[in-house]
Amino acid sequence: MRRIDGIPAAIRADVQPAVVKSAEELAGVQRRLAEASRDTGALIDSIEVTLPGETTPPYSQPGGSRTAYELEAIVTVGNSEVRYPHLVEYGTAHAPAQPYFWPAVRSLQKRINNRLNRATRKAIRTYWSK
């Protein structure tokens, strides 16, 4: 947190839209991958993006309820009514796994990292050229 606090506010403000866009894109891909396991649609509806400064829903996976930091957007699945996302992702003795969460993360990881690096470099160039 000390390193993030050391980043000038103008740079953090310029990078934040890229963080949010990446989280929204990840959630969209997860929703599309979860279509294969659609029964009631409650699981798909429980995939949420928590924006910086907001709190994740209670009982969400992974990690439960917590507040997102300034340069962090959290994608979670599950809530107080949908408490079985991990069972769909990893399967059970009676149901096969229907992964949707981690395959989306792995497939978009490079794209998201590149987007955030570009946004950071651009914000730094803009900040230092003033």
Side-chain angles (χ1 to χ4, degrees):
M1 288 307 300
R2 281 185 284 144
R3 291 179 74 186
I4 290 178
D5 289 340
I7 298 171
I11 293 175
R12 288 186 296 213
D14 287 350
V15 172
Q16 199 169 37
V19 171
V20 173
K21 181 178 181 178
S22 297
E24 292 289 347
E25 181 182 15
L26 178 60
V29 171
Q30 289 174 342
R31 288 183 189 107
R32 283 192 297 279
L33 291 176
E35 281 293 330
S37 65
R38 178 183 281 280
D39 188 20
T40 64
L43 177 73
I44 297 167
D45 294 340
S46 74
I47 298 174
E48 288 189 25
V49 174
T50 303
L51 301 176
E54 295 180 355
T55 303
T56 60
Y59 304 105
S60 61
Q61 298 288 327
S65 183
R66 74 178 192 86
T67 302
Y69 295 114
E70 182 180 6
L71 289 177
E72 178 182 43
I74 305 170
V75 179
T76 58
V77 61
N79 52 38
S80 58
E81 295 174 13
V82 180
R83 296 178 67 178
Y84 54 84
H86 61 289
L87 301 176
V88 175
E89 178 78 12
Y90 300 112
T92 67
H94 304 289
Q98 297 176 349
Y100 61 93
F101 193 90
W102 294 113
V105 171
R106 285 190 297 271
S107 69
L108 291 177
Q109 188 170 16
K110 185 175 180 180
R111 179 182 170 102
I112 289 171
N113 284 338
N114 288 340
R115 177 184 293 132
L116 295 177
N117 287 336
R118 272 191 317 272
T120 303
R121 283 192 303 269
K122 182 180 177 187
I124 289 170
R125 279 194 306 269
T126 303
Y127 177 78
W128 289 111
S129 67
K130 291 181 180 180

